[in-house]
Amino acid sequence: MGWLDAAGYQVRLGENGRVQCRNGKGKLLSSVPASLKDDPRVVQLRQLAEWLSRHEAECLAAVDGWMVRSLPVPAALIAEVWADATWAAALRDLVVTADDGSGPETGFLRDADPERGLGVVTLDGDTRRLRPEVVGIPHPVLLEDLEELREFGAELGVEQKAQQLFRQTFTRPDSVAGKTSVDDYSGGKFEQLNHALSRCRTLGYPVRGGDAVYSAFEDGRVVEARYWLGSDYPESETWTGGLTWALEDGTAVPLADVGPVAWSEGMRMAAAIHAGRVVEEAVVNQ
């Protein structure tokens, strides 16, 4: 973005999303002078920065939703939004699956154009143009060649804005038959329930009825992962409980019936919240 005149100074929106200012001699200042705080140009730039930040978050949230819900995305939609640099940044380098009639193909999304179709780099290193009706953005736990894709992605220098390739994943073990709760992350102490709730807000997980909740759409139904945090006074101590899964109506789902995405995302949620617990320092005897 070019420089704009503002009361004897010039201002612009920098690449870091902050308003930059330079004086009449062209020297870049460390901050915007207080006298320009309410200048119309500065106000407009700050409003633009806020909008761009919200837009980026909305694009990433949408892409993340397509991935964790395993939703087929119309290829025409991807080609249409690609012209928006923020959308393109959110989609670029994601691993996608597509079939335009010549057979299923998996690769890194590098380009999208309404006329030429999608540009995809396959695991063979070939760049192909595909014109499918829909595109899949698989959750990493569903990618059979995940490790190979990670290695090849590192070679290509891919930088995914949306967490996919290097998203923390968990595979459901075979030993869960007959069980209804995971206790790996129970017993985590927080000095205040408020601290646990704050961590959930930071991580983006809603809390309902004392549980941190993650809703996954899998096999045609919504399955909620629920991680117990406590429901006492916000200022009181609390200890985390078990991780369970249930349908929207509250019906418990046995661990053996939890799908791979719901399992992985539930475990990921519990692990991230549990990491913020109070860790007692070990006393070393002299």
Side-chain angles (χ1 to χ4, degrees):
M1 178 175 289
W3 292 96
L4 304 173
D5 293 327
Y9 295 88
Q10 289 187 317
V11 292
R12 71 175 181 184
L13 192 62
E15 293 182 0
N16 59 0
R18 299 182 61 183
V19 178
Q20 295 179 324
C21 181
R22 68 183 184 185
N23 60 23
K25 296 182 179 180
K27 180 182 178 181
L28 186 65
L29 306 181
S30 60
S31 62
V32 177
S35 61
L36 292 182
K37 178 181 178 182
D38 297 321
D39 184 272
R41 295 284 195 187
V42 174
V43 171
Q44 289 172 1
L45 288 175
R46 284 180 174 151
Q47 290 174 340
L48 175 60
E50 291 173 0
W51 182 87
L52 289 172
S53 179
R54 289 196 304 271
H55 182 48
E56 180 180 17
E58 290 167 356
C59 293
L60 287 173
V63 171
D64 190 78
W66 295 340
M67 178 181 64
V68 298
R69 291 170 66 91
S70 301
L71 293 176
V73 184
L77 173 62
I78 292 179
E80 188 70 25
V81 300
W82 194 271
D84 182 324
T86 304
W87 269 109
L91 290 163
R92 185 176 289 110
D93 287 337
L94 287 176
V95 176
V96 298
T97 57
D99 189 344
D100 60 2
S102 58
E105 200 68 78
T106 299
F108 293 94
L109 182 63
R110 284 298 179 91
D111 186 36
D113 183 88
E115 299 298 327
R116 297 186 298 160
L118 307 181
V120 175
V121 177
T122 68
L123 270 173
D124 295 328
D126 299 327
T127 299
R128 293 197 55 196
R129 280 286 173 183
L130 305 176
R131 293 177 175 79
E133 291 293 324
V134 296
V135 177
I137 305 175
H139 187 283
V141 78
L142 301 177
L143 290 169
E144 295 182 0
D145 301 321
L146 180 58
E147 290 305 319
E148 188 176 353
L149 285 163
R150 284 173 171 171
E151 293 176 5
F152 187 48
E155 293 178 12
L156 287 177
V158 302
E159 296 181 6
Q160 295 182 331
K161 287 273 189 176
Q163 285 192 345
Q164 184 194 34
L165 268 188
F166 297 98
R167 192 184 193 92
Q168 187 179 22
T169 59
F170 297 81
T171 303
R172 189 188 67 199
D174 296 330
S175 58
V176 299
K179 298 181 180 180
T180 59
S181 175
V182 173
D183 297 320
D184 298 30
Y185 303 105
S186 62
K189 177 185 175 181
F190 286 83
E191 291 182 347
Q192 293 185 20
L193 176 57
N194 268 331
H195 297 169
L197 299 178
S198 175
R199 185 163 181 83
C200 289
R201 284 194 296 270
T202 300
L203 294 169
Y205 295 114
V207 177
R208 295 201 302 270
D211 288 307
V213 178
Y214 185 91
S215 298
F217 182 82
E218 196 167 18
D219 295 331
R221 65 181 184 176
V222 175
V223 178
E224 293 184 344
R226 301 177 178 179
Y227 180 44
W228 179 253
L229 302 178
S231 58
D232 293 330
Y233 292 108
E235 295 79 14
S236 64
E237 285 185 336
T238 193
W239 283 262
T240 59
L243 171 66
T244 61
W245 284 262
L247 301 181
E248 287 183 293
D249 62 4
T251 302
V253 178
L255 299 190
D257 294 339
V258 178
V261 174
W263 177 274
S264 185
E265 289 300 313
M267 293 288 285
R268 179 172 178 260
M269 172 183 70
I273 297 171
H274 186 259
R277 71 193 184 283
V278 174
V279 179
E280 302 291 347
E281 294 184 7
V283 177
V284 180
N285 294 323
Q286 298 294 329

